[in-house]
Amino acid sequence: MHPTMLRLLALMSLSANFANAITTEQITPNSVPNAKNVQVAAVNNGQLSTEGVQTLDGMAIDAIPEGRSAEAVMAAAITPAQWTATADSYQPGYPPSNVLDGNTNTYWHTPFGANGNPLPHTLTIDMKQQYLINSIAYIPRQDGASNGNVGQHMIQTSLDGVTYSKPVATGTYADTKLTKTTIFEARYARFVRFTAQTEAGSRGPWTSCASFNIFQTTVQAPATSGGEWSPTIDFPLVPVSLGLEYNSGNVLAWSAYAASTFGGSNGGNTLTATYFPATGIVSQRNVTNTGHDMFCEGLSVDTTGRFIATGGDSNYKTSIYSVRYDAWTAAAQMHVPRGYAAQATLSNGNVFMIGGSWAGGLGGKNGELYSPFSNTWTQLSGAPVAPMLTNDAQGVYRADNHGWLFGWKNGYVFQAGPSKNMNWYGTAGAGSNARAGARGNDADAMCGNAIMYDATQGKILTVGGSPSYQSSQATANAHIITLSGPNNIVAVQNINPMWYKRAFANSVVLPGGKVFITGGQTTAQPFSDATSQLQPELWDPISTTFTKVASNTIPRNYHSTALLMADATVISGGGGLCGACATNHFDAQIYSPPYLFNADGSRAGRPVITNAPANAPISGTITLTTNVACTKFDIIRVSATTHTVNTDQRRIPLYPRTTNGFTYTLPLPTDAGIMLPGYYMLFAMNAQGTPSLAKFVYVPVP
């Protein structure tokens, strides 16, 4: 039997009952085996049947890479001979030296008792000499108990044991016995300090650790010119989906029913986590009340800033997250079961959905319309999926996945890809369909990106993708699409390609109109870090050229995401979600673009919006005041993203009508198809191009 399956079977021993493992708040997400198989998979009486399982999400089990997390960027474990471990405290018989003895049956534990010693607790490793290190692995206690499992934490390094660095990684680990790996930018160190700030299950003031490993590399940290990457942020799950909360700037993330796999789901829950940029804390929640496993869902942000998650592993269901109330609720079920579908918010406030044969049967995934006002779904017989299918080697199972959709004028939707043939979909009545032409000289571009970087001019950038979903060579192709009225053949301009071929990459439009492109592979292959592109690019809409910027250290491929944040940075995370495979990335990093730095590398001073309205009515104006002179103003729609797809992000440049000192009156678009209703981030930029922190403004439904 393949080693992956052996590990899956071994994981079963961690939980005697599959159903019980996912019904309580303190679940053990990774205790359930990874067995998603579009051909054969069954869970009977809480037990996984692996008989006949040959593929995982369409990929042969034998082809899934083996090894621990992020093997592609990890290096060799350092032999801990002569190392010493010290701690702030320990229970007699459970000294910190146990983390170095190579025996996971022994462990370090802080003093027992309900009161114990208060958190935080520290474990410090002295390697006795300097190494170039880039990762650690924390193994929780393995004796069946969970007391002391580390939750929130930080990692620091030192050359002398006296002066410690700022944290190289922060975040929260899941409350499981599985090994937790943290990767960070390579640095020289002799000492590593691991600080436990919380106990993962909030059971008491304890910390425990069975083994602590440190890994060395020969690869220096990448150059930081062209922006900068933050320290690693550890999540208690693989962040496959991200959404920006309009009232706080916090980021909501979720995976599936489990933290590291989507296989074997019974459709009963979704694990979520919230990242709080102001504090760096990552919290976690198990959403059970909607009975919805939202992995591989359709996703968009409605006109009130709510996240609309549809289908996926629970392929009929709709769940809605209210940012205002911090709560998930169940909504009306779709008529058509779907997974890997795409959806887009429209000018009239409705949500259009199409495609999604990954779940709920193959083919016939025609258009469907959700009204958030009446909480109803309506099938659109006149909006067929057939015109937008790709010629994928796996057939319709992949051919209707991840559509590139854009809400446009009069309730229409423009479909830019991934098929080379583009389409218009009308949503009035029974719906309609019209050809929009071919995307220049491009081929089918599955898991490429399309970004509306200037909605006022109807401008869309498309980049990358591959002819088939997997085992397919990606392209570096780039095109500019210009929209006019609905049902017209669109204008397509072939432009110079990206520096690198990419599938499974993510692209984010920035204040000022540049587009940040990160991650991906030259050969599209799920669950692999092979052929990863660690070098991001920045596209300039004026010169229409791509520039290399600061390299990342962590591959972001299949099931990775990226999202613009309210401070004009980009959060990029995830990749994997394949159980015991080698490419699960339980982390994210924040990219700070070049516009946040001066020429000498120091942080640039930001302009400040001192006054701005809460509402921005279509055909109206907004007046805002800044603390310094500003030359550009943008509003960028709040968005949510999953699987490289983000149908909500769009930038609208605003041009001053009148200026009075540092007070600016800005006219707004006159068409709701350009300025879709919903929440936007308002940015002001100085002459250097440095953006302010965003002010959230609301565009009501006309």
Side-chain angles (χ1 to χ4, degrees), residues 8-24 26-33 45-48 177-178 257:
L8 299 185
L9 292 170
L11 285 171
M12 293 176 66
S13 65
L14 305 185
S15 173
N17 187 293
F18 167 71
N20 290 339
I22 62 171
T23 56
T24 60
Q26 297 302 332
I27 65 171
T28 306
N30 293 319
S31 66
V32 191
N45 300 318
Q47 300 300 314
L48 174 73
K177 63 189 290 184
L178 299 183
Y257 80 99

Side-chain angles (χ1 to χ4, degrees), residues 135-404:
S135 47
I136 65 95
Y138 158 69
I139 302 179
R141 60 191 295 182
Q142 302 292 301
D143 63 346
S146 300
N147 288 349
N149 284 357
V150 174
Q152 186 182 337
H153 59 273
M154 67 177 179
I155 299 165
Q156 298 168 280
T157 65
S158 174
L159 294 172
D160 58 10
V162 177
T163 302
Y164 280 83
S165 67
K166 294 180 179 180
V168 297
T170 61
T172 300
Y173 290 141
D175 188 20
T176 72
K177 63 189 290 184
L178 299 183
T179 299
K180 311 300 189 296
T181 300
T182 295
I183 307 169
F184 44 84
E185 289 191 1
R187 56 179 52 228
Y188 284 99
R190 171 177 165 177
F191 298 85
V192 174
R193 175 164 291 170
F194 182 60
T195 301
Q197 297 162 301
T198 67
E199 204 270 355
S202 299
R203 288 170 288 261
W206 313 298
T207 298
S208 59
C209 176
S211 180
F212 194 87
N213 300 321
I214 303 171
F215 302 89
Q216 65 176 327
T217 181
T218 58
V219 181
Q220 297 279 353
T224 58
S225 60
E228 182 178 277
W229 288 95
S230 76
T232 304
I233 305 164
D234 288 323
F235 277 74
L237 48 79
V238 176
V240 176
S241 300
L242 298 175
L244 184 71
E245 301 185 4
Y246 69 82
N247 59 352
S248 62
N250 297 333
V251 177
L252 180 67
W254 61 98
S255 53
Y257 80 99
S260 64
T261 185
F262 58 88
S265 171
N266 72 348
N269 70 298
T270 298
L271 297 186
T272 74
T274 300
Y275 170 62
F276 298 85
T279 61
I281 291 174
V282 179
S283 68
Q284 53 187 309
R285 177 190 298 174
N286 180 21
V287 178
T288 60
N289 64 295
T290 64
H292 187 180
D293 181 345
M294 290 176 267
F295 170 72
C296 83
E297 79 285 8
L299 182 62
S300 61
V301 181
D302 78 356
T303 59
T304 63
R306 302 181 305 170
F307 305 154
I308 312 293
T310 56
D313 264 337
S314 304
N315 48 61
Y316 277 104
K317 294 195 174 184
T318 302
S319 293
I320 297 179
Y321 176 74
S322 169
V323 174
R324 179 179 180 184
Y325 296 108
D326 185 27
W328 286 94
T329 57
Q333 292 192 6
M334 295 180 291
H335 295 283
V336 180
R338 306 175 190 269
Y340 281 8
Q343 64 191 54
T345 304
L346 308 182
S347 60
N348 55 18
N350 290 329
V351 177
F352 176 76
M353 159 77 75
I354 197 166
S357 288
W358 183 87
L362 302 179
K365 311 289 185 165
N366 297 332
E368 198 167 353
L369 195 67
Y370 177 67
S371 168
F373 314 107
S374 62
N375 186 31
T376 56
W377 284 96
T378 302
Q379 289 184 274
L380 302 178
S381 59
V385 71
M388 61 170 279
L389 298 179
T390 66
N391 187 29
D392 198 282
Q394 291 180 281
V396 71
Y397 169 60
R398 294 298 198 188
D400 66 359
N401 294 183
H402 307 321
W404 306 348

